[in-house]
Amino acid sequence: MDNENISSDSCPIARSLAFAGDAWSILILRDAHGGLTRFDQFRKSLGIAPTMLTRRLATLTEEGLLEKRRYSEHPPREEYLLTAAGRDFLPVLFMIGEWGRQYRGGGKLVRFFDAENGTEIKAVAVDEVTGAKIGTRPIRMVMPDES
Amino acid sequence: MDNENISSDSCPIARSLAFAGDAWSILILRDAHGGLTRFDQFRKSLGIAPTMLTRRLATLTEEGLLEKRRYSEHPPREEYLLTAAGRDFLPVLFMIGEWGRQYRGGGKLVRFFDAENGTEIKAVAVDEVTGAKIGTRPIRMVMPDES
DNA sequence: ATCGTTAGTTTCAATTCGATAGTAACACTT
DNA sequence: AAGTGTTACTATCGAATTGAAACTAACGAT
């Protein structure tokens, strides 16, 4: 998909997708948010081929969503921790999840609760300024000028 | 990525990704939200190979995010319109965009404004119940029981 | 000394992707 | 009437990516 050109695109969605535009990366991020840090934990959780996992972890690390930390010198062992950029991906995960819950919700699904007051979390995207749900008010798109 | 098994997964994220887990699909959805409806509009906007586009449009249609509508009988011509499920994908697009804006924001970016009051839209994900931003409060995950 | 664990690499076949060219069904122009 | 343009594709084929399986390195435990 020629990620080089897309990264210089003026669309922030395209730019995000240039690195995390595949399902494995997003699933790795999901698991990282769930607390997994190690190669084998990801491998077992995802059933991913080790070649894929190596490459995806490397990309996510290069792109600054994960960072490698050595947790043992002998033998040398690394674990992968979320960076701030990786943690800030959580809202994306929740919105993807919310869509899936609504439109692919058959059978049993994992559920998330607010740990403090016990209510089930229902993620919605709102405009921080108006407080309105995204999609409920007309939107005007402004292209950057060429200057 | 064996979408069959993943669709029966208990994770709503995995289920969403089983169909829209590739960058082209998401970009098509983005353009559909931007008002594009026809094959050639998508092709030119995305620079996608027609083979890919045919396949992606077919998948998105099968999965119920787009619907095909005949807009001309002679010659037979179809256009692709967003369904309710497709429109409800907008929050996902906005959150992906917001992440890109924050972490891949160099250079000029498209911007979105509330058409009514002119303020720039800043999409944030919140828990509809508590009103708190997603990620600012501890979360408890509950697996579905096996019964 | 052998087994198990962790984090990979190597190899290779199968699938998918992307680019290019071609097709079908018309409308429009000359 | 013939040629050109538009739209929505399909066909073909080489290149790149993916997935499965086996193997390796560096230990620690028994």
Side-chain angles (χ1 to χ4, degrees), chain A residues 114-133:
Chain A
D114 188 295
E116 275 167 28
N117 61 22
T119 56
E120 182 161 6
I121 292 172
K122 168 111 194 285
V124 291
V126 301
D127 175 5
E128 200 171 34
V129 182
T130 64
K133 282 186 199 174

Side-chain angles (χ1 to χ4, degrees), chain B residues 66-83:
Chain B
L66 295 177
E67 62 180 333
K68 229 172 169 171
R69 205 191 56 181
R70 179 153 290 192
Y71 71 90
S72 154
E73 285 298 336
H74 289 284
R77 294 266 184 277
E78 324 268 8
E79 64 185 345
Y80 297 87
L81 302 173
L82 285 167
T83 61

Side-chain angles (χ1 to χ4, degrees), chain A residues 31-45:
Chain A
D31 279 356
H33 276 280
L36 305 196
T37 60
R38 298 185 186 177
F39 192 92
D40 258 38
Q41 293 177 321
F42 291 115
R43 195 179 54 71
K44 282 169 188 157
S45 165

Side-chain angles (χ1 to χ4, degrees), chain A residues 22 24-25 27-29 31-32 36-43 46 48-68 78-81:
Chain A
D22 77 289
W24 285 131
S25 299
L27 257 12
I28 288 169
L29 251 13
D31 279 356
L36 305 196
T37 60
R38 298 185 186 177
F39 192 92
D40 258 38
Q41 293 177 321
F42 291 115
R43 195 179 54 71
L46 299 170
I48 185 177
T51 37
M52 278 293 100
L53 183 54
T54 299
R55 231 172 308 161
R56 290 291 178 266
L57 287 174
T59 305
L60 287 167
T61 303
E62 281 162 31
E63 296 287 346
L65 285 117
L66 296 178
E67 60 180 334
K68 228 172 168 169
E78 324 270 5
E79 64 185 345
Y80 297 87
L81 302 173

Side-chain angles (χ1 to χ4, degrees), chain B residues 95-122:
Chain B
M95 294 317 299
I96 293 176
E98 211 55 64
W99 189 92
R101 197 178 297 282
Q102 220 185 324
Y103 291 102
R104 293 292 182 281
K108 312 267 182 185
L109 282 185
V110 171
R111 295 161 71 185
F112 298 96
F113 294 85
D114 187 296
E116 275 167 28
N117 62 19
T119 55
E120 182 161 6
I121 292 171
K122 168 111 195 285

Side-chain angles (χ1 to χ4, degrees), chain B residues 3 8 19 24 27 40 42 44 47 50 59-60 64-65 70-71 73 75 82-83 90 93-95 105 108 111 145:
Chain B
N3 288 0
S8 61
F19 83 93
W24 285 132
L27 258 11
D40 258 38
F42 290 115
K44 282 168 187 157
T59 305
L60 287 168
L65 285 117
R70 179 153 290 192
Y71 71 90
E73 285 298 336
L82 285 167
T83 61
L90 186 63
L93 296 175
F94 260 93
M95 294 317 299
K108 312 267 182 185
R111 295 161 71 185
D145 49 279

Side-chain angles (χ1 to χ4, degrees), chain A residues 10 15-16 63 85 88 96 99-100 103-104 106 110-111 113-115 122 124 126 128 133 137-138 140 142, chain B residues 10 15-16 63 85 88 96 99-100 103-104 106 110-111 113-115 122 124 126 128 133 137-138 140 142:
Chain A
S10 72
R15 291 195 186 183
S16 298
E63 296 287 346
D88 283 349
I96 293 175
W99 188 92
Y103 290 102
R104 293 292 183 280
V110 171
R111 296 161 71 184
F113 294 86
D114 188 295
K122 168 111 194 285
V124 291
V126 301
E128 200 171 34
K133 282 186 199 174
R137 289 163 70 97
R140 191 162 46 83
V142 177
Chain B
S10 72
R15 292 195 185 183
S16 298
E63 296 287 347
D88 283 348
I96 293 176
W99 189 92
Y103 291 102
R104 293 292 182 281
V110 171
R111 295 161 71 185
F113 294 85
D114 187 296
K122 168 111 195 285
V124 290
V126 302
E128 200 171 34
K133 283 187 199 173
R137 288 163 69 98
R140 190 161 47 84
V142 176

